[in-house]
Amino acid sequence: MAENCVTVIEIGSSKLSCMIAERGVNNTFNVKAKASVDYAGFLEGDFIEKAYLDDAVMTLFSQITSIYKKKIKKVYVGVPAEFSKVVTSTCQLNFKNRHTISQKDIDTIFAKVSEQRYAEDMDIISVNTISYALDETKNIQNPLKQKCYFISCELSLVLAQSSFIKLFNKIWSKLGIEQVEYLSEPLAEGIFILEEEERERNCIVIDVGARSTSVAFIKGNAMTNLTSFSMGGSYITSDLTEACGIGYPEARNLKKQIVLSLKGDKDDTYELPTLGGKILKLPLNFVNEAVCYRIGLIASTVNECIRVFAKEYVPYYPIYLCGAGLTKIKGGKDYLAKCLNRNVSYGRPPIPGMDKPELASILGLVNSALRN
């Protein structure tokens, strides 16, 4: 495989995706191949049908290699929020005399923090700087070549479940993959969709997937906190099947029609073609209320996550929404914003023609892999 190409794997809560890409002109991506397969997924930090996970990954690789035709030696794997956590740590170096900070000093700090064990069943996959302090001067982003008597660094460490890494390492070994690197999916996504000046303060990135929602607090090139819960877009689909008495495939088709901003009369309906060729007429307001109910539950859980995990509850933290769970529902973002009582923007990848919030995660992984 060409050295400037990367192969990334996104482990979604209902779908596995692979993309092979290289850096294009003006920081765009040249996508060489992409593929995805549906699988049983995960829930509450565990795979639903673990015995069939190998088959799903092998099907994905069969698809991607049929397109790419070259041997894949290394893969970058995104670790979802449900299999990871963030811890912060502070490390300080003291000097006898006024000292000019070098890269060696920074490396020493990172090595000291990385040597520690933060959880018995978790491995460090990422160490990033939140900010530095030189003597009494705080919130310094680049301390190199500056002089001080001591340097203090607040660091963010992303930990991944050891069982997750062992599980996938076995699969890559079966597939003959020689090298594997695990990346934090929410961190890669957040850094990619947020411009550098936005990341100078805390931003919140909400990714609503099929069965899982993550809430990441991004500052600089790091996450200050991360949490997730098992609820997402497929819950809305299930609610519609139950409320409307229709099958899951019909509910998915119905979801594509829904416009939450519509306030219909009592006779207004959504018309849903069925497999038997009939047209079902479903009351517009009733259907919208079923969807809004679930979005309200997602919003209340997100609000609780912000309350518990933000170091301070700041109502003007910028919030960005990614993932296919809500962004594909017309009016979904606006109703979420109403429930949160906050402004919510789409988290869009800064790539022309690929600026869809549902692509933020996999393109963020591509960006991180290419930077590595």
Side-chain angles (χ1 to χ4, degrees), residues 196-203 218-220 316-318 320:
E196 197 171 341
E197 56 266 28
E198 290 177 291
R199 288 187 270 116
E200 288 175 4
R201 55 176 176 164
N202 260 306
C203 294
I218 308 287
K219 186 176 183 183
Y316 47 83
Y317 274 178
Y320 294 84

Side-chain angles (χ1 to χ4, degrees), residues 140-327:
I140 291 170
Q141 293 304 312
N142 185 4
L144 290 174
K145 298 183 180 178
Q146 298 197 45
K147 293 184 177 182
C148 62
Y149 288 100
F150 71 85
I151 178 172
S152 176
C153 181
E154 187 183 10
L155 291 157
S156 162
L157 297 94
V158 184
L159 312 179
Q161 283 182 16
S162 304
S163 56
F164 178 95
I165 292 172
K166 286 175 185 172
L167 178 65
F168 278 95
N169 278 350
K170 285 180 182 176
I171 298 173
W172 308 132
S173 180
K174 285 181 187 177
L175 287 165
I177 302 296
E178 296 169 14
Q179 289 178 280
V180 185
E181 190 167 332
Y182 292 92
L183 304 172
S184 168
E185 196 176 289
L187 177 61
E189 180 178 64
I191 287 176
F192 189 52
I193 65 165
L194 300 170
E195 293 183 12
E196 197 171 341
E197 56 266 28
E198 290 177 291
R199 288 187 270 116
E200 288 175 4
R201 55 176 176 164
N202 260 306
C203 294
I204 299 171
V205 178
I206 303 168
D207 188 304
V208 183
R211 295 195 186 95
S212 182
T213 295
S214 63
V215 183
F217 300 82
I218 308 287
K219 186 176 183 183
N221 291 320
M223 280 191 293
T224 57
N225 237 315
L226 173 69
T227 185
S228 62
F229 54 93
S230 291
M231 197 187 300
S234 67
Y235 284 64
I236 295 172
T237 315
S238 296
D239 290 344
L240 289 172
T241 64
E242 193 174 327
C244 302
I246 55 178
Y248 199 85
E250 285 84 7
R252 289 174 73 168
N253 290 331
L254 174 60
K255 211 159 71 164
K256 293 173 187 175
Q257 291 188 43
I258 289 168
V259 182
L260 293 180
S261 58
L262 292 178
K263 291 286 182 278
D265 295 327
K266 63 177 183 178
D267 296 328
D268 288 337
T269 59
Y270 289 113
E271 295 190 352
L272 180 67
T274 65
L275 292 173
K278 294 180 180 178
I279 301 291
L280 276 181
K281 292 191 175 185
L282 300 165
L284 184 145
N285 290 341
F286 175 75
V287 170
N288 282 7
E289 283 168 14
V291 175
C292 289
Y293 172 75
R294 180 60 65 176
I295 295 175
L297 288 179
I298 292 170
S300 64
T301 312
V302 166
N303 255 336
E304 184 64 12
C305 291
I306 294 171
R307 189 186 69 78
V308 171
F309 287 91
K311 289 183 178 177
E312 50 184 352
Y313 186 87
V314 181
Y316 47 83
Y317 274 178
I319 292 184
Y320 294 84
L321 176 66
C322 304
L326 281 188
T327 60

